[in-house]
Amino acid sequence: MARKKKSRSIVQRFDDYFGTGTLEDWQRLCGDIGLDANLSSITQCRKVLKTVHINIHDLLDAVDQGRLPHRFGNARELANYTVNTRRIFPKKKVKEMGPVKALMRHIL
């Protein structure tokens, strides 16, 4: 039961952080990760987000603390960290074509 509650919590935290999905929301996400925040389309934002490896829990914690999240060098490093810390975003809650989809990596 605690695991389900925690899962909903991270999903709600990300939904609250991200907003409605406007270009400005995508640009803010890119900027909060340390990427170019002036991209001119959601498609460009989505493409650049696919190039970084960050943990979504860590992203939200970093935003709350006013700092950049740790960026892993590759998907394997991110996977190892995510499994070891159990800071996993529930795959069932990934919305098709949304920002979480652009950030998700194959972990297990």
Side-chain angles (χ1 to χ4, degrees):
M1 179 70 174
R3 178 174 251 167
K4 282 189 176 189
K5 186 175 182 181
K6 190 173 184 178
S7 295
R8 279 186 296 235
S9 176
I10 188 63
V11 171
Q12 186 62 51
R13 278 183 71 200
F14 191 85
D15 285 347
D16 291 346
Y17 157 76
F18 187 69
T20 60
T22 64
L23 175 58
E24 291 78 20
D25 293 330
W26 283 86
Q27 290 169 329
R28 178 175 33 81
L29 173 60
C30 289
D32 286 345
I33 293 173
L35 304 169
D36 182 358
N38 295 314
L39 297 169
S40 61
S41 73
I42 291 173
T43 300
Q44 287 179 337
C45 292
R46 187 179 290 121
K47 285 180 183 177
V48 74
L49 287 171
K50 288 184 178 187
T51 68
V52 296
H53 308 287
I54 61 163
N55 180 279
I56 295 169
H57 290 263
D58 290 353
L59 165 66
L60 296 174
D61 290 346
V63 167
D64 289 346
Q65 296 167 8
R67 61 178 177 77
L68 293 175
H70 176 76
R71 288 168 57 177
F72 294 88
N74 57 53
R76 180 172 292 231
E77 289 176 13
L78 171 61
N80 289 337
Y81 169 82
T82 300
V83 170
N84 289 335
T85 60
R86 302 183 70 158
R87 299 191 84 180
I88 300 170
F89 192 95
K91 188 175 180 180
K92 291 179 184 178
K93 299 295 183 177
V94 176
K95 295 177 183 167
E96 196 63 35
M97 301 306 291
V100 172
K101 175 83 173 170
L103 292 171
M104 291 295 283
R105 302 293 177 267
H106 182 72
I107 299 295
L108 303 173

